[in-house]
Amino acid sequence: LVATLATEPSKEILDAVAVRGASLPLLTEEYDPQDIAQRILGGTLTVPEFLTEPIRLLDYPLHLTQGPPTLRLVMASLELERLLLEAFEKNADEKLLELVLQRIEQLDRHESSRWLPDQFLWNDHAIAARAGVLALAWKHARTRTNSTDELKLAIVRKAARTGMLLASDTHFTVRTNHGVMQNLALLQLATAFPALPESNAWARLAKDRLDLQLAHYVSDEGMVLEHSASYQQVGAELLARFTDILALRGEAPSPALKAKTESAKEVLEQLWRPDGSLPLVGNTPMSTDFSPVLAGPSLVQPPRDGRYELAKLMPISGYAVWHAGLPGGLSQTVIAWGKHDGHGHKHADELSLHFWRDGMNWLTATGYWPYGRLGAEAAYGWRGANAPHQINEAFGSPRSTSLLGHAANEHIKAIDLERKGPGNYTVRRQVLQIENTTLLVLDFTTADKPHQTVWSFDPRLTLSEPVQTGHDHIRLRAVGTETGLTLNLLGWGPAARFEKIRGKLDPFAGWVVVDREPVAADSLVVDAPASTSLLAYLFHLTDGETVGGTERIEIALTEGATPARWTAQLTAGPKELTIDRRSKMIEVTDNALDGTSRLALEAPEDTLRISAAQLKE
């Protein structure tokens, strides 16, 4: 078997398979892998992405216990061995390759002795991520004359055991992206180790199981149902890599795989901003440029000529993505209300709002807090997003959200959402955007317990102290370098309480995760007592000339406003707008231009009904 695999497949196939896996990178591009590899040879593990200071490198199995949970996952995925192999390819230092082979043999010996798993030894993601590293290690080991047969056999034996675990029904994670990773890894092993007796069966199983998963993993709208912009990128990349390995084998993707891959890419292109960053929906860290999500060269990257839709509504998935100010001065607004039980990476964030322009996350969320780090549980809860909620509401509280209406044109966009539960708690959030500068958020609430919203801002912004100018009427500014955001808040009902918080863990508020590192950021906590009430938020971007505070921003609401009937008067400098909602019709009148724009809110009830039946089937 080892002799056959010494020549089959080709070096080119092994190279391609090795970089098409599900591994998480151990290092980002800003760190020198050669330097890290030499330190590893000296017995020191230095990974600034996961560790605040270097630690002593241990052998297996103690190696599996080092560092925080995410690092332990990456190490169990053989990513340290990948780093050493990539360094070896550049400097031909035989000590690096010898260390890799010895460590794989250690892991194989440890794994073969286990009746039960320890740490991430048999974690579904870790098992899947090993496939590409084993292909890369085998490429170098199979022709090496100064390696023992035992070291070579350990790689093949490890590949066989990995494939058997991946093929087992009891190890298959059908519900989430981990199952997709498992199928990708099975296809990798079948292609990199074709002489293994099970390889053909593994390839067939990988394709069959992926087709089974696709309808559950990616909605008909193209959204990867993992509650996260970053995992939209992961999903599109995984499907693209699976398709690419099929091409290496001379096989075509199934019609379902082809369609889902393309639709996932199309949604991702709407989420990507021109700078390559993504909105902090769910488990997504803040970045100011394109960040690869898996080890190896990315097959899916931001398009150079972003073809942005004015409004992309995904009612089944539970998201709306708006773009305004095209082609110059682009803004992106993302509203999230998706909640797909059984799917991964969910934050408590229904009705949350993300607003980006000029490279700044003006309204955002905490993002992807490192697992195992203090504050993680709260970061994934309600106070990590700007969604309205009951004070101390549990992450898993029973609740549901409905889309009641949506409309968009070149100048105005609007959405009407209603959340019910737990108990008698009801929130009707309406968001209306005008051009790329102004957002009006109306929260009509019925609550028998105190409730709140925590507004988070980009950590590069400085938030002024809220100034109360009347009954629940405050003003504040978030100032960047050339543009500022003014918030004017008006409330009806019992008085709300406002507090500016920065970098606080208990109660949690004022954090944004930047490239895996939590960074203190200004936030505004709005607490309201139990009642039937209305809170109206007017967010308005101002340019550099008025960022100092000279522009007057005001909002006025007519008495007796209801979700289906209200009038708002907005004043921003010399511009005055009157917004009227009457049933499903919204009219926006620009007093200066004496013009009126009309939008008719539509609820996609038929689409939802059909899709619900398909999902049930």
Side-chain angles (χ1 to χ4, degrees), residues 51 261 335 382 424 459 485:
L51 296 171
T261 303
I335 298 106
W382 293 102
N424 296 324
L485 179 74

Side-chain angles (χ1 to χ4, degrees), residues 447-474:
D448 52 12
K449 296 180 180 179
H451 53 98
Q452 69 183 183
T453 300
V454 180
W455 294 98
S456 297
F457 301 87
D458 194 298
R460 295 168 291 178
L461 295 173
T462 300
L463 193 66
S464 68
E465 292 294 336
V467 177
Q468 190 151 341
T469 60
H471 179 65
D472 287 359
H473 197 161
I474 69 166

Side-chain angles (χ1 to χ4, degrees), residues 550-565:
T550 57
E551 186 174 75
R552 184 169 60 94
I553 309 294
E554 299 289 351
I555 177 175
L557 282 167
T558 54
E559 291 279 359
T562 66
R565 187 177 182 86

Side-chain angles (χ1 to χ4, degrees), residues 518-587:
V519 175
D522 286 343
S523 66
L524 178 70
V525 180
V526 182
D527 288 340
S531 67
T532 298
S533 61
L534 165 63
L535 286 172
Y537 304 89
L538 173 62
F539 299 97
H540 182 74
L541 286 181
T542 55
D543 59 27
E545 295 180 359
T546 56
V547 79
T550 57
E551 186 174 75
R552 184 169 60 94
I553 309 294
E554 299 289 351
I555 177 175
L557 282 167
T558 54
E559 291 279 359
T562 66
R565 187 177 182 86
W566 50 265
T567 300
Q569 192 79 29
L570 310 186
T571 304
K575 191 170 185 176
E576 293 185 356
L577 297 175
T578 300
I579 306 173
D580 277 303
R581 171 157 187 182
R582 298 293 180 267
S583 187
K584 294 184 178 182
M585 185 65 67
I586 293 179
E587 291 189 352

Side-chain angles (χ1 to χ4, degrees), residues 432-494:
L432 187 137
Q433 180 171 334
I434 301 170
E435 306 295 352
N436 64 347
T437 59
T438 306
L439 283 166
L440 175 62
V441 181
L442 302 178
D443 284 347
F444 294 88
T445 305
T446 299
D448 52 12
K449 296 180 180 179
H451 53 98
Q452 69 183 183
T453 300
V454 180
W455 294 98
S456 297
F457 301 87
D458 194 298
R460 295 168 291 178
L461 295 173
T462 300
L463 193 66
S464 68
E465 292 294 336
V467 177
Q468 190 151 341
T469 60
H471 179 65
D472 287 359
H473 197 161
I474 69 166
R475 297 177 66 185
L476 56 82
R477 282 185 177 273
V479 181
T481 54
E482 298 180 356
T483 311
L485 179 74
T486 296
L487 163 61
N488 195 286
L489 189 154
L490 175 64
W492 295 107

Side-chain angles (χ1 to χ4, degrees), residues 60 64 75 152 160 182 278 350 360 367 386 398 400 480 532 548 616:
Y60 291 103
L64 298 171
M75 301 297 256
K152 292 182 180 180
Q182 290 173 291
L278 289 166
E350 294 100 293
M360 193 73 71
N386 54 41
S400 62
T532 298
K616 184 177 180 181

Side-chain angles (χ1 to χ4, degrees), residues 15 33 49 66 111 114 127-128 170 188 239 269 324 357 430 438 447 450 486 565 583 615:
D15 273 330
E49 289 291 300
Q66 292 182 284
E111 186 176 22
R114 299 298 298 175
I127 296 170
T170 59
Q188 283 180 286
L239 297 183
E269 289 178 2
R357 205 192 84 176
Q430 301 179 33
T438 306
T486 296
R565 187 177 182 86
S583 187
L615 287 173

